[in-house]
Amino acid sequence: EPEVTQTPSHQVTQMGQEVILRCVPISNHLYFYWYRQILGQKVEFLVSFYNNEISEKSEIFDDQFSVERPDGSNFTLKIRSTKLEDSAMYFCASRTLITSSNQPQHFGDGTRLSIL
Amino acid sequence: GQQLNQSPQSMFIQEGEDVSMNCTSSSIFNTWLWYKQDPGEGPVLLIALYKAGELTSNGRLTAQFGITRKDSFLNISASIPSDVGIYFCAGTNSGGGADGLTFGKGTHLIIQP
């Protein structure tokens, strides 16, 4: 069964550094998402992306965050000048577009980001 | 923002017992989803619900979309050890791509031997 794949599985970064988290969505999917999950807490929506632009973002997704689809397969989340509180699991999700029916989001296994 | 109240927070049950958990919201969703998360992994979709009143099964799992569109429940029958994990409900008002999911805080299911 097709999967959303994320790399790396664990990223350790010094506070203040930039980090890029990578995702390869399922190949025929057109909607892409990033979520984060702070240890022991619920999953929180960050941003959705469709047709090469952001379609929705949460209040968490401030100016230090950006997303990009640099080619036909990758979807990236960049965090500029990381802070200690950015430490979390970051999940990528994707879903297909079928106009006659709703389709659910499928998640990758996440990247654990640790800020030192 | 929208909040989902998920209960119970945790459940300690014996293998073979049935399980029931639910989610309520102060606002309406047009889609309810149930996910399971195992340690170190991402949420895995269990059941998706798109119509108020809809009752859907997936093996031993059954979920319903409340008629008011503000609640949903998930039942697991005859629990087995691999059912252990965290179950999340999620709601969204899908359409046009503006469909970020709002998650509940999860129900930890623990099965005692």
Side-chain angles (χ1 to χ4, degrees), chain A residues 82-102:
Chain A
T82 49
K83 303 188 288 275
L84 292 176
E85 54 264 39
D86 293 328
S87 295
M89 284 290 288
Y90 287 81
F91 293 106
C92 174
S94 69
R95 73 174 179 92
T96 189
L97 171 64
I98 298 177
T99 54
S100 60
S101 65
N102 290 304

Side-chain angles (χ1 to χ4, degrees), chain B residues 68-91:
Chain B
T68 65
R69 295 197 284 157
K70 291 184 177 181
D71 63 302
S72 177
F73 72 73
L74 174 71
N75 289 340
I76 305 172
S77 62
S79 57
I80 60 177
S82 60
D83 291 335
V84 166
I86 305 175
Y87 292 79
F88 290 99
C89 62

Side-chain angles (χ1 to χ4, degrees), chain A residues 64-94:
Chain A
Q64 69 163 148
F65 293 94
S66 62
V67 290
E68 190 178 28
R69 186 155 165 82
D71 53 44
S73 60
N74 290 284
F75 179 51
T76 62
L77 174 69
K78 181 189 291 186
I79 310 174
R80 289 180 279 274
S81 190
T82 49
K83 303 188 288 275
L84 292 176
E85 54 264 39
D86 293 328
S87 295
M89 284 290 288
Y90 287 81
F91 293 106
C92 174
S94 69

Side-chain angles (χ1 to χ4, degrees), chain B residues 1-17:
Chain B
Q2 294 171 312
Q3 297 282 334
L4 288 186
N5 297 308
Q6 187 171 349
S7 64
Q9 187 174 17
S10 58
M11 301 185 73
F12 295 81
I13 64 167
Q14 300 284 337
E15 183 179 349
E17 287 185 30

Side-chain angles (χ1 to χ4, degrees), chain B residues 2-89:
Chain B
Q2 294 171 312
Q3 297 282 334
L4 288 186
N5 297 308
Q6 187 171 349
S7 64
Q9 187 174 17
S10 58
M11 301 185 73
F12 295 81
I13 64 167
Q14 300 284 337
E15 183 179 349
E17 287 185 30
D18 296 342
V19 171
S20 184
M21 60 190 78
N22 68 83
C23 261
T24 59
S25 170
S26 58
S27 53
I28 289 172
F29 289 111
N30 67 17
T31 299
W32 282 89
L33 304 162
W34 285 92
Y35 289 88
K36 178 174 183 273
Q37 186 178 30
D38 291 328
E41 299 182 11
V44 175
L45 180 70
L46 299 174
I47 292 180
L49 302 159
Y50 300 110
K51 294 181 183 178
E54 179 181 359
L55 183 70
T56 297
S57 293
N58 177 10
R60 293 178 296 107
L61 277 60
T62 302
Q64 184 156 32
F65 190 150
I67 197 72
T68 65
R69 295 197 284 157
K70 291 184 177 181
D71 63 302
S72 177
F73 72 73
L74 174 71
N75 289 340
I76 305 172
S77 62
S79 57
I80 60 177
S82 60
D83 291 335
V84 166
I86 305 175
Y87 292 79
F88 290 99
C89 62

Side-chain angles (χ1 to χ4, degrees), chain A residues 2-97:
Chain A
E3 294 181 335
V4 175
T5 57
Q6 292 185 242
T7 56
S9 57
H10 190 190
Q11 174 78 46
V12 181
T13 301
Q14 292 287 333
M15 184 172 60
Q17 297 294 307
E18 175 183 285
V19 65
I20 297 176
L21 310 182
R22 304 182 189 278
C23 169
V24 178
I26 296 172
S27 63
N28 65 339
H29 286 192
L30 298 177
Y31 290 94
F32 314 116
Y33 309 83
W34 284 101
Y35 293 81
R36 79 172 185 190
Q37 184 179 32
I38 295 170
L39 184 64
Q41 298 187 23
K42 66 178 182 179
V43 178
E44 300 174 291
F45 169 71
L46 294 178
V47 66
S48 60
F49 190 88
Y50 171 69
N51 199 25
N52 285 319
E53 62 183 19
I54 291 173
S55 44
E56 184 187 16
K57 59 183 180 179
S58 72
E59 58 189 22
I60 302 170
F61 194 87
D62 60 23
D63 290 344
Q64 69 163 148
F65 293 94
S66 62
V67 290
E68 190 178 28
R69 186 155 165 82
D71 53 44
S73 60
N74 290 284
F75 179 51
T76 62
L77 174 69
K78 181 189 291 186
I79 310 174
R80 289 180 279 274
S81 190
T82 49
K83 303 188 288 275
L84 292 176
E85 54 264 39
D86 293 328
S87 295
M89 284 290 288
Y90 287 81
F91 293 106
C92 174
S94 69
R95 73 174 179 92
T96 189
L97 171 64

